[in-house]
Amino acid sequence: MPYIIGCDIGTTNVKSVAFDTVSGTILASHSESYEMQHPQADWSEQDPEEIFQAACKALKKVVTLCEDNGDPVGISFSAAMHGVLALDKDGKQLTKLIIWADNRSADVATKLRASQVGRKIYNNNGTPIHAMTPVCKLLWMKKSEPEIYRKASKFVGVKEYIVYRLTGKFLVDYSIASATGMFNIRELQWDPYTLKKLGLKAEKLPTAVSPYHIVKLPKGNEARLSEGIPLIMGASDGCLANLGSGAITTGSMAVTIGTSAAVRICSDKPFSDPLMQTFCYVLDEKTYILGGPSNNGAVIFEWLMNTFFPKEEYDAVFKQAEGIKPGSEGLLFYPYLLGERAPLWSSSVRGGFSGLDITHTRAHFARAVMEGILLNLYSIGKILMEMQEIDTIFANGGFAKSTTWVQMLSDVFGKTVKLNETVETGAVGAAMMGMKALGLVKSFSELTAFTQVGKEFDPEKNIHEKYDALAEKFSKGAQLMMAHAV
């Protein structure tokens, strides 16, 4: 039985999933986890060697589980965006992997975002100016660690590092490159204007290739896999979540709520928002993914559980929240506990509760937190819905385990929400891209078996109207939070 592996390199784990190439059935999967490191305030790093070894283990385990089927027809990659790792001329690490959650370049980002240079960099490259982006991380490194910046022979992200370790080649797909803030999304090449402002030569960056680009595993590779297995470069986890969920046609939207969160739509044209609120990333040469990411997804509900419900189960708390009326009887939550990306793009903004009175209980706080996370995503969604008429939302991520929360999403957005049968949409999307790269299909429309829908949720009109009105109040409150940001 022929199978393909989708390998999703995430923030906290790498997961390899083997799919039957005909039915899309998952034949085997395995994940390996790793930790974030916070050596200083606002710093978030990871050990790239640890991630590489985790990827090798996950791949080898899945191939072993599928040994009766032989080697995979290919391995296709999905990966987290915005990471930066400096390597010397021998490919050795000069730094840890500085990940998307790192805020050390917040001051650099704030100044750049307010400048005409920052606006042009955004317009060329489609990635909002923020501490998450490699362009800001590298500007910080150039100023704060000039010796490392000068000595570095290559700057790469996590997927590029893994591909280099497996093949000896420095390659980056257009999708990951488009999230660096240094890649021109219209020309599909490293942006000369941005590199000039960085004082950075393109030779210090990996060679940009199509997401369908294939390189074959050499003999004696570190994953101990068979020589000649095709590696497909694939794309970023956000873009592939759209593909893997089925939100790849006009009129559909993907909402992902994991540790962080995002709202995304697809387009056949690149787009730069005059207010610099949204991103535009490349999925492939003819498809762009527009949207906005949020720092404050399910990690905020985890904070709620640890703070208010330390000894209770998640399902019990969801049940309590379900018993509270929509709007939490006036209690409104702004979820900016970790600063915020879209739509505020402020590392210093912080959250809070408003409308608190003596009648509110822990259950009110639970519902208000769930609503606040969704109202913030709705503020991103409304921007996207001004660009494109949306009728269906494909939802995925850990939050989808709560039917209460998913129904709330449908009511807040006023749209039908469809849940995929699998939450592994990044790995699914990678596998689908791999299938097309290998010529096993001509179009993603042939792969509907990979994007099966499990449940559907329809909005209640009167509840949506209540949330729509509440969204206006939320938006005004968010601006007050911004005004108080230090």
Side-chain angles (χ1 to χ4, degrees), residues 328-334 352-357 360 368 473 477 481:
S328 300
E329 298 187 82
L331 185 63
L332 192 57
F333 176 63
Y334 300 91
F353 291 89
S354 69
L356 176 63
D357 68 36
H360 288 133
K473 185 177 180 180
M481 295 293 179

Side-chain angles (χ1 to χ4, degrees), residues 88-155:
D88 67 13
K89 61 183 177 58
D90 299 316
K92 304 299 184 183
Q93 302 166 28
L94 294 174
T95 64
K96 296 286 190 180
L97 176 69
I98 307 171
I99 66 170
W100 65 269
D102 191 276
N103 273 322
R104 73 185 70 180
S105 63
D107 290 344
V108 171
T110 299
K111 291 175 184 175
L112 183 62
R113 185 175 174 83
S115 70
Q116 288 303 312
V117 170
R119 180 169 291 279
K120 184 165 184 178
I121 287 174
Y122 168 74
N123 285 337
N124 287 359
N125 305 323
T127 303
I129 305 297
H130 185 268
M132 72 174 183
T133 57
V135 67
C136 293
K137 292 178 170 78
L138 289 177
L139 281 170
W140 175 90
M141 190 182 295
K142 183 181 181 182
K143 177 181 178 182
S144 302
E145 296 183 345
E147 185 61 22
I148 291 177
Y149 189 82
R150 182 195 63 78
K151 188 178 179 181
S153 176
K154 280 285 190 291
F155 294 106

Side-chain angles (χ1 to χ4, degrees), residues 139-199:
L139 281 170
W140 175 90
M141 190 182 295
K142 183 181 181 182
K143 177 181 178 182
S144 302
E145 296 183 345
E147 185 61 22
I148 291 177
Y149 189 82
R150 182 195 63 78
K151 188 178 179 181
S153 176
K154 280 285 190 291
F155 294 106
V156 301
V158 66
K159 186 203 288 189
E160 301 86 86
Y161 181 70
I162 289 172
V163 170
Y164 165 69
R165 290 290 300 277
L166 290 175
T167 69
K169 300 178 184 294
F170 282 113
L171 304 172
V172 62
D173 61 79
Y174 295 157
S175 185
I176 289 287
S178 71
T180 65
M182 300 182 289
F183 189 79
N184 192 299
I185 56 175
R186 294 167 183 83
E187 303 297 328
L188 297 182
Q189 64 178 13
W190 295 114
D191 185 54
Y193 177 84
T194 305
L195 297 192
K196 183 177 180 180
K197 293 301 178 182
L198 278 166

Side-chain angles (χ1 to χ4, degrees), residues 139-358:
L139 281 170
W140 175 90
M141 190 182 295
K142 183 181 181 182
K143 177 181 178 182
S144 302
E145 296 183 345
E147 185 61 22
I148 291 177
Y149 189 82
R150 182 195 63 78
K151 188 178 179 181
S153 176
K154 280 285 190 291
F155 294 106
V156 301
V158 66
K159 186 203 288 189
E160 301 86 86
Y161 181 70
I162 289 172
V163 170
Y164 165 69
R165 290 290 300 277
L166 290 175
T167 69
K169 300 178 184 294
F170 282 113
L171 304 172
V172 62
D173 61 79
Y174 295 157
S175 185
I176 289 287
S178 71
T180 65
M182 300 182 289
F183 189 79
N184 192 299
I185 56 175
R186 294 167 183 83
E187 303 297 328
L188 297 182
Q189 64 178 13
W190 295 114
D191 185 54
Y193 177 84
T194 305
L195 297 192
K196 183 177 180 180
K197 293 301 178 182
L198 278 166
L200 184 66
K201 293 181 179 179
E203 292 76 27
K204 287 199 171 188
L205 299 170
T207 301
V209 297
S210 166
Y212 301 108
H213 184 82
I214 295 173
V215 57
K216 293 190 176 181
L217 272 173
K219 184 178 181 180
N221 60 82
E222 291 193 61
R224 293 181 290 116
L225 296 174
S226 299
E227 177 185 2
I229 293 176
L231 299 185
I232 299 93
M233 287 300 298
S236 69
D237 55 359
C239 291
L240 288 175
N242 267 62
L243 176 59
S245 66
I248 201 63
T249 57
T250 301
S252 63
M253 173 183 282
V255 174
T256 303
I257 306 179
T259 303
S260 57
V263 184
R264 301 175 300 268
I265 60 174
C266 69
S267 171
D268 60 358
K269 296 181 177 64
F271 174 81
S272 296
D273 176 16
L275 298 177
M276 298 194 294
Q277 297 174 103
T278 58
F279 59 66
C280 180
Y281 298 148
V282 175
L283 173 62
D284 62 21
E285 291 86 341
K286 296 181 179 180
T287 313
Y288 296 83
I289 302 297
L290 282 56
S294 169
N295 289 353
N296 302 288
V299 66
I300 304 303
F301 197 81
E302 183 179 354
W303 162 83
L304 174 92
M305 292 293 294
N306 292 337
T307 306
F308 291 89
F309 304 92
K311 296 181 180 180
E312 297 188 44
E313 298 293 327
Y314 276 75
D315 287 345
V317 176
F318 289 137
K319 189 68 176 177
Q320 291 179 51
E322 190 176 355
I324 303 299
K325 295 178 181 178
S328 300
E329 298 187 82
L331 185 63
L332 192 57
F333 176 63
Y334 300 91
Y336 311 125
L337 305 192
L338 295 169
E340 189 51 292
R341 289 181 285 172
L344 304 179
W345 298 104
S346 170
S347 297
S348 57
V349 69
R350 288 297 180 269
F353 291 89
S354 69
L356 176 63
D357 68 36
I358 202 166

Side-chain angles (χ1 to χ4, degrees), residues 282-459:
V282 175
L283 173 62
D284 62 21
E285 291 86 341
K286 296 181 179 180
T287 313
Y288 296 83
I289 302 297
L290 282 56
S294 169
N295 289 353
N296 302 288
V299 66
I300 304 303
F301 197 81
E302 183 179 354
W303 162 83
L304 174 92
M305 292 293 294
N306 292 337
T307 306
F308 291 89
F309 304 92
K311 296 181 180 180
E312 297 188 44
E313 298 293 327
Y314 276 75
D315 287 345
V317 176
F318 289 137
K319 189 68 176 177
Q320 291 179 51
E322 190 176 355
I324 303 299
K325 295 178 181 178
S328 300
E329 298 187 82
L331 185 63
L332 192 57
F333 176 63
Y334 300 91
Y336 311 125
L337 305 192
L338 295 169
E340 189 51 292
R341 289 181 285 172
L344 304 179
W345 298 104
S346 170
S347 297
S348 57
V349 69
R350 288 297 180 269
F353 291 89
S354 69
L356 176 63
D357 68 36
I358 202 166
T359 65
H360 288 133
T361 66
R362 290 192 309 159
H364 288 88
F365 277 82
R367 181 158 192 123
V369 166
M370 295 166 73
E371 290 177 336
I373 292 168
L374 293 179
L375 286 167
N376 185 53
L377 294 179
Y378 185 46
S379 67
I380 302 169
K382 288 174 78 173
I383 297 168
L384 300 176
M385 287 188 281
E386 289 175 1
M387 305 177 194
Q388 192 180 111
E389 180 105 16
I390 299 298
D391 52 47
T392 303
I393 293 173
F394 291 88
N396 49 75
F399 96 111
K401 295 175 184 176
S402 166
T403 56
T404 300
W405 213 349
V406 178
Q407 181 61 55
M408 199 181 292
L409 170 67
S410 178
D411 291 333
V412 168
F413 277 71
K415 306 295 180 184
T416 295
V417 172
K418 296 183 178 182
L419 290 185
N420 297 101
E421 287 192 343
T422 175
V423 297
E424 307 301 341
T425 50
V428 171
M432 293 171 68
M433 182 161 271
M435 296 269 288
K436 188 173 178 182
L438 292 165
L440 299 176
V441 295
K442 291 183 178 180
S443 169
F444 293 131
S445 62
E446 299 174 49
L447 296 173
T448 53
F450 282 73
T451 57
Q452 293 297 310
V453 171
K455 296 180 181 178
E456 292 190 19
F457 298 76
D458 292 315

